[in-house]
Amino acid sequence: MSTFKEMLREQRWDDHRYYHHSRINQSLHLVSAASFVAAYVTVFFNPVVAVLLAWGVAMVTRQSGHFFFEPKSYDVLNQASHEEKEAIKVGYNLQRKIILMVVWALSPLVLWFDASFFGLFAEPIDVWGFAENTAWIWIGVALGALLFRAFQLFYLFNIRTGVVWMTKILTDPFHDIYLYYKAPYFLFKGQLLDPDVNKRSA
């Protein structure tokens, strides 16, 4: 049976080689990773700012890279179609990410109907108060998305697979910095796709 470390390495490897061909995507992941790390630090003294940074900057840049710059055609390097990649992806593939991002974007609308979220939050008196309540809703969306998929993986595979995936998600910012810190340099040189994306160094 695969060890925890081996499973984590395998999930990271599949994610890298299947979904990070574009140097633009890699560069956006670098920005996203740095933003997430900043959010991890900020959360200890200002959780609202941390959540707004994580969702508003880190997630937007990260998912923009996947949706707009990553090739969806047949992957010659890995000999896999886009449909095969979507089936292999353990966590949130592109279809699941669309649902997640729609939920994230629409979730603050509930505050237009009840600014206190049914009495759970303080009634906002200004724009910052509304932003604070939005941040708490986004915390709920993030935790819900993490736990929902983890429990799905518990059911579909086993508990270890779900725990490995959660570990991967939470540590991805640090790993992405390690993987993609050179991406802007290669992009500046005019290299739009990573020719070595299928070489197992991730």
Side-chain angles (χ1 to χ4, degrees):
M1 180 178 290
S2 298
T3 66
F4 184 94
K5 187 175 181 180
E6 289 170 345
M7 291 179 68
L8 180 60
R9 179 176 171 82
E10 194 67 26
Q11 286 190 21
R12 283 176 169 167
W13 166 235
D14 284 342
D15 186 53
H16 169 69
R17 66 174 174 145
Y18 286 144
Y19 285 95
H20 298 87
H21 289 231
S22 167
R23 289 297 191 189
I24 298 176
N25 185 26
Q26 292 180 1
S27 298
L28 288 172
H29 269 60
L30 182 62
V31 173
S32 171
S35 301
F36 268 124
V37 171
Y40 283 177
V41 174
T42 308
V43 74
F44 291 104
F45 55 89
N46 197 326
V48 173
V49 171
V51 172
L52 294 174
L53 178 62
W55 274 107
V57 179
M59 279 294 284
V60 169
T61 53
R62 175 173 294 262
Q63 303 313 328
S64 294
H66 285 302
F67 288 127
F68 301 119
F69 299 106
E70 200 63 31
K72 309 297 190 300
S73 56
Y74 185 80
D75 181 356
V76 176
L77 290 176
N78 293 295
Q79 298 183 350
S81 67
H82 178 69
E83 291 72 23
E84 289 171 326
K85 293 179 182 182
E86 289 285 273
I88 291 171
K89 180 75 171 178
V90 173
Y92 280 87
N93 59 19
L94 293 185
Q95 290 181 330
R96 299 185 195 109
K97 285 178 180 179
I98 290 173
I99 296 172
L100 175 60
M101 296 305 286
V102 168
V103 170
W104 163 72
L106 296 180
S107 60
L109 290 179
V110 69
L111 296 177
W112 289 106
F113 299 100
D114 188 333
S116 67
F117 197 58
F118 311 107
L120 188 61
F121 307 141
E123 193 80 24
I125 59 175
D126 52 22
V127 174
W128 178 249
F130 182 82
E132 286 183 321
N133 289 356
T134 298
W136 288 114
I137 287 178
W138 285 350
I139 288 176
V141 172
L143 291 176
L146 188 68
L147 294 175
F148 178 77
R149 186 55 184 168
F151 278 100
Q152 278 188 324
L153 295 175
F154 294 166
Y155 175 77
L156 294 172
F157 300 99
N158 51 54
I159 292 177
R160 178 181 290 186
T161 300
V163 173
V164 167
W165 175 75
M166 285 195 295
T167 302
K168 175 190 172 298
I169 291 298
L170 294 173
T171 59
D172 264 350
F174 305 100
H175 192 247
D176 285 350
I177 291 173
Y178 166 73
L179 283 181
Y180 305 130
Y181 73 96
K182 290 183 178 179
Y185 166 74
F186 289 113
L187 185 60
F188 181 75
K189 290 180 64 177
Q191 187 183 85
L192 294 180
L193 295 177
D194 183 352
D196 299 322
V197 73
N198 68 328
K199 292 184 180 180
R200 189 152 192 158
S201 59

